[in-house]
Amino acid sequence: MQTSVPAGADARNWMLWRGLKRSTRIVCYPRLKPLYQLERLVEGEMDESRQYLWRSTGNDPQFAWKRHLPLPGWNMLEVTIRHDQPSGAVRLYVDTGRGFNEKESFYLMLRPGRTAKRLCYIGSGVRGIRFDPLESEGCFAVDHLRLVWLSPWFAHDRLVQRLANLHGEWLETPKARVLAQLKQRAREQHVHWRALALRQYEETFVRLCPRKSYRQWLTQQPVLASDQISRRLENFSYRPLISILLPTYDPVPEALERCIESVLAQHYPHWQLCIADDASTDPRIRERLSRYAEQDPRIDLVLRPVNGHICAASNSALACADGEYVALLDHDDRLVPEALYHVVETLQRQPDAELLYSDEDKVDGFDERYDPHFKPAWNPDLLLGQNYVNHLGVYRTARVRAVGGFRVGFEGSQDHDLTLRFTAGLAEDSIVRIPRVLYHWHAGQGSTATAAVEKSYTAEAGLRAVQDYLTRQATGARAEPGRFPNTYRIRWPIPDPAPLVSLLIPTRDQVTILRPCIEALLERTRYPHLEVLILDNGSTCRETLDFLDEIVRDSRVRVLRWPHPFNYSAINNFGARQARGEILGLINNDIEPINEDWLEEMVAQACREEIGCVGAKLYYPNGTIQHAGVLLGVGGVAGHAHKYFSRHEPGYFSRLHLAQNFSAVTAACLVVRKSLFDSVGGFDEANLAVAFNDVDFCLKVREAGYRNLWTPFAELYHHESVSRGADDTSAKRLRASQEANYMRRRWQHRLFDDPAYHPSLTLTYEDFSLR
C-alpha cells in the first residue's frame, strides 16, 4: 500500500520520522546504573508479592541513564514504577553542557498501577541523563522507562490538550484556540512561545501540599496595603458595628496580649471587643485586661466574680454586645489585620447574611503559620460530622440571642452547638463563606488545635450537640462518635416499610467481572427489598449468556435486553423506565460491596427529602481510593476527590471519613429516588453518551434544589471501566473531547466555582493540594 506524503512542515517531520524509524534513538530505553542512595535488594529481601528490586536509602536516589541518549526536540517520557510509599514522583535531569540542573529537569508524579507520561523538550548536545526514581526512602521496581521522540505537530496537540484540561489560565478556553492565544501572549511578552508554553505546562505538574508548602504559597498571595483598604472603606455604604466576644480564663499573658493586639490592629475600625474574664486565678490577667479597657473605649470588660466555664463567660460577653454582628475569638488566638475588613466587604454584596465564616490556619510557638483549612461553602451534612465553620465565625447578634446564646452543658463544643441551632431553618444564601484565611488558631500545649484527644470532653459535648440537633430536626436519626476526634457519624432511619430498590447494571459480555459483581451484590447486601436489573447491551459470549440464563432463577434478578450501540445514558434511562422500585441504584458491572449495610446507608440518605443523589466510597482492588465525591473543575471538567489515597488516611481535614455534600458523585454507584430521576429528565443521551453524564445529572438535581451527598459508610470495590476499556483510539478521544466541551458550555457557571471545594485548592490534582 502506498503511503501519501504530507506537505510543508509536516512533510519535513514525516521525512525525518521515516529516516529515523529504524533507529533505536527514536525510542530510548535506558540501562540504569545506580549512582547515589540506592542499593539492590538481594533475593531474600524481596517482597514475594511485589518483587521490588531496589531500595532507596535516602530522599535523593539517583540512577545514571546509560546506553541510548534521546534525540533533541519533543520527547514523551513514560514511567511505570511499583513502590511501597503512599505516593511517589520521579525527576529526569538532562545535561546539555551545563551539568545537571533544575531548569533542565522534568518532574512527573507516579500513577499507582499505571504508566505516567509527560512531554519533555530536550535541547541539542545531550551529554548525559540522570533519573531520580523516588523522593523518599523505600523499596521499588522500575517496570517501564523510556523516552519516545515526537513530531512537533503531535507534541503541540498533547501540549495544548493538557493546558486546556489542567492549567488555570486555559480551563475555559477551547483547545483549538490555545496555541494561537499562547503565541499572541508570547509576542506581547517578547518571549518565544515555546518558553511560555513549557513554563505553563510545567506548572500543571507542580503540587503544593498544604501542610508542607504553605509558607511558599503565602509569599505568592497579594496583600492589600493599609491605604488601599482605607480608600475602599470610604466607599462602603454599610458599616455595621461588629462585637467580638472574647471569654478569658487564665490564658498565657503573652498569648492574651497578642490576641487583643490583633483586634486593635484591625483595618476596619467599627468594632467592639467584649471581654468576659471568668474569674482568672492569675492576677496579671485582670491587670492587663483592665489596662486595655482603659486605653480604648471600644473595649468593654466584664469581670466575673465566680468561674462558670466558657459558656457562662461567653454569655456575659454577649450580654454587653452592641453590634449588629458578633464574632467569636478564643483568648489565645488571633485575627489577621484584614479580618473584619473582609467581613464587611462581603456584607456590601450580601447585607442579608446571617452567618459568615472564613478559612483558618494554625500558628505555633515560633509564630510559624501552618496547616491551613480551606473550607467548602455551606455544607450542612459536613457540619453534622464536624464543626468546620469556626473559625472565624461571625453571627447576626439578634439571632444568636433568639436561639438562646451559648448553652451551659455544652462546654468544649459550645461553638458547634451554637452553629447547629443558629443555622437550623436558615436559607442557604444567608450563610456565606469568605474564602480567605482570617483567623490564626494558636497551637499551644493542651490546645484543641494541637491535640483534640487532650480534650475528650469536647468530643462528648459535640456528640450531645449533634444529637440534640437531630432530636429537634430529624426524628429517628442518631449520632455516633466518628473515627477521628471531634467527628461524628449520623445514622438516618429507613422508612417502614423499606422501599423497593432497583439496581440497574449495564453490561456486555465480560462474564469474569459480571459474575463476581452480581453474586457479591446478592450475597453481601443486607437490604431486604431489592431487585437487580441486568441491562444487557448485546452480549454474544456464550459463557455470559449462560450466566444470564442461570442468574434469573433468582427471583430478585431480571435481565433486560438493550441491543443498540453503547450509550451509557440511554441504557440507564431504559433501565429506569423498567424499574419497579421507588429508589434507583445505578451500579457498574465491576462493583463489589465490602460492607453488608452499604445499601441501607445509601437508601437511608436518599430517602431524606432534601437529598438528591447519594454516592459511595469506592476503592481500587489494591485498597486505594477511586472515588470519594466529585470535584468540579479538576482536570477541566471534574475529578474524583482523594483519588489514590489509602483507605486508612483521614483525607483533607478528615473528609474521607465524613458524610458530606458534594456537587456530584459518580454513577458507578449512585442511589436516587426514581421520582427525582424522572423529574430532571434522567441522563443526557444526546450529548453525553459515555462520560460526564453522571456529573451532568447530579448538577441538574442540584439545580432543582436538592443536596447531593457522598457517604464513606457505603464501601465497595470498583474495577474501574474494565468492561468498557480506555479512550485509546482517535474516535474515542474525539468523543471524549466533545463531551468535555459540552460540559464546559452547559455548566460553565458551575464548573470552576464548586461550593464543595475551594478557589485556593488545585484544579490539576485530586488531593486538595494548594493551587
Side-chain angles (χ1 to χ4, degrees), residues 660-713:
Q660 62 203 269
N661 304 115
F662 273 97
S663 294
V665 292
T666 180
C669 184
L670 184 155
V671 170
V672 65
R673 297 191 297 278
K674 186 176 187 298
S675 59
L676 183 50
F677 184 92
D678 293 338
S679 70
V680 300
F683 281 12
D684 186 337
E685 303 178 17
N687 299 294
L688 300 169
V690 178
F692 304 123
N693 34 48
D694 48 2
V695 178
D696 175 73
F697 172 69
C698 287
L699 292 178
K700 290 191 294 185
V701 168
R702 188 172 184 275
E703 208 167 55
Y706 299 89
R707 299 199 308 267
N708 297 320
L709 180 140
W710 173 82
T711 173
F713 307 115

Side-chain angles (χ1 to χ4, degrees), residues 17 167 267 306 330 379 464 474 614 631 703:
W17 181 85
H167 196 282
H267 293 296
V306 179
D330 288 349
N379 198 311
R464 290 198 306 275
V614 179
L631 300 176
E703 208 167 55

Side-chain angles (χ1 to χ4, degrees), residues 494-501 527-530 582-583 600 603 607:
I494 293 176
D496 186 15
L500 176 65
V501 178
Y527 189 82
H529 200 195
L530 63 84
E582 300 171 53
I583 305 288
E600 295 174 25
V603 170
C607 287

Side-chain angles (χ1 to χ4, degrees), residues 311-361:
C311 290
S314 297
N315 282 330
S316 294
L318 176 63
C320 64
D322 298 323
E324 198 169 337
Y325 291 89
V326 292
L328 310 186
L329 178 61
D330 288 349
H331 64 198
D332 52 359
D333 297 343
R334 284 178 273 169
L335 303 178
V336 304
E338 304 83 12
L340 298 186
Y341 161 76
H342 284 300
V343 170
V344 179
E345 179 194 41
T346 303
L347 287 171
Q348 306 308 301
R349 301 185 298 273
Q350 294 171 279
D352 296 328
E354 295 287 320
L355 167 62
L356 304 96
Y357 65 94
S358 77
D359 305 321
E360 62 188 282
D361 62 16

